[in-house]
């Protein structure tokens, strides 16, 4: 991680799960990388419990979502019970059942609406 350069990437996405999300929250290298991505206005994503790492780094924006119960840990102002929430350059999602919608939104953010719509239709993911 010491050699990862934020300017070489379009987005960083953190996986969820425990204890992984806690390790991401507690790793100073990850925390600095998150701050660097956010400071450059780059896209940052986190699913399940991983938004706790974004909160710890101070990059979580006003609106977000996370695995049920972790909003009590984050205590940010505007928790949403949605599958995926985009707030400025930050993308969050709730958990395993919302992973497909999260992945599709990542596609939309990185390559655009047309590819997103084609992929969503091909996957029969109308629920997203």
């Amino acid at each position: 991680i010491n050699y990862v350069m934020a300017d070489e990437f379009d987005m960083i996405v953190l996986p969820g799960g425990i204890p992984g999300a806690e390790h991401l929250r507690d790793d100073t290298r990850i925390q600095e990388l998150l701050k660097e991505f956010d400071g450059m206005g780059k896209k940052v994503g986190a699913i399940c419990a991983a938004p706790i790492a974004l909160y710890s780094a101070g990059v979580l924006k006003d609106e977000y979502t996370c695995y049920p119960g972790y909003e009590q840990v984050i205590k940010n102002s505007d928790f949403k019970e949605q599958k995926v929430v985009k707030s400025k350059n930050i993308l969050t999602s709730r958990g395993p059942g919302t992973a497909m919608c999260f992945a599709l939104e990542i596609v939309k953010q990185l390559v655009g609406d047309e590819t997103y719509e084609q992929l969503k239709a091909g996957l029969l993911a109308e629920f997203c």
Side-chain angles (χ1 to χ4, degrees), residues 18-19 29 34 39 64-65 67 75 91 93 95 100 123:
I18 295 297
R29 299 168 301 174
L34 291 169
Y64 74 99
T65 195
Y67 194 80
K75 298 177 185 173
L91 194 63
S93 189
M100 177 69 73
L123 292 169

Side-chain angles (χ1 to χ4, degrees), residues 80-111:
K80 303 288 184 189
E81 285 191 30
Q82 296 170 232
K83 292 177 184 126
V84 179
V85 173
K86 181 181 181 299
S87 186
K88 298 181 182 166
N89 62 316
I90 306 295
L91 194 63
T92 54
S93 189
R94 300 220 56 200
T98 65
M100 177 69 73
C101 301
F102 184 54
L104 284 167
E105 190 62 33
I106 291 170
V107 167
K108 181 191 273 187
Q109 296 303 309
L110 294 176
V111 294

Side-chain angles (χ1 to χ4, degrees), residues 21-78:
E22 293 166 338
H23 294 313
L24 294 168
R25 176 197 61 202
D26 298 339
D27 189 314
T28 56
R29 299 168 301 174
I30 297 294
Q31 292 293 295
E32 288 304 314
L33 194 57
L34 291 169
K35 291 173 189 175
E36 187 176 353
F37 266 77
D38 186 55
M40 296 172 78
K42 291 189 173 264
K43 295 167 179 54
V44 176
I47 189 168
C48 198
I52 64 173
L54 304 185
Y55 177 68
S56 179
V59 303
L60 193 64
K61 306 301 182 220
D62 294 334
E63 295 183 347
Y64 74 99
T65 195
C66 60
Y67 194 80
Y70 281 87
E71 70 277 11
Q72 301 301 318
V73 175
I74 293 172
K75 298 177 185 173
N76 213 18
S77 60
D78 210 357

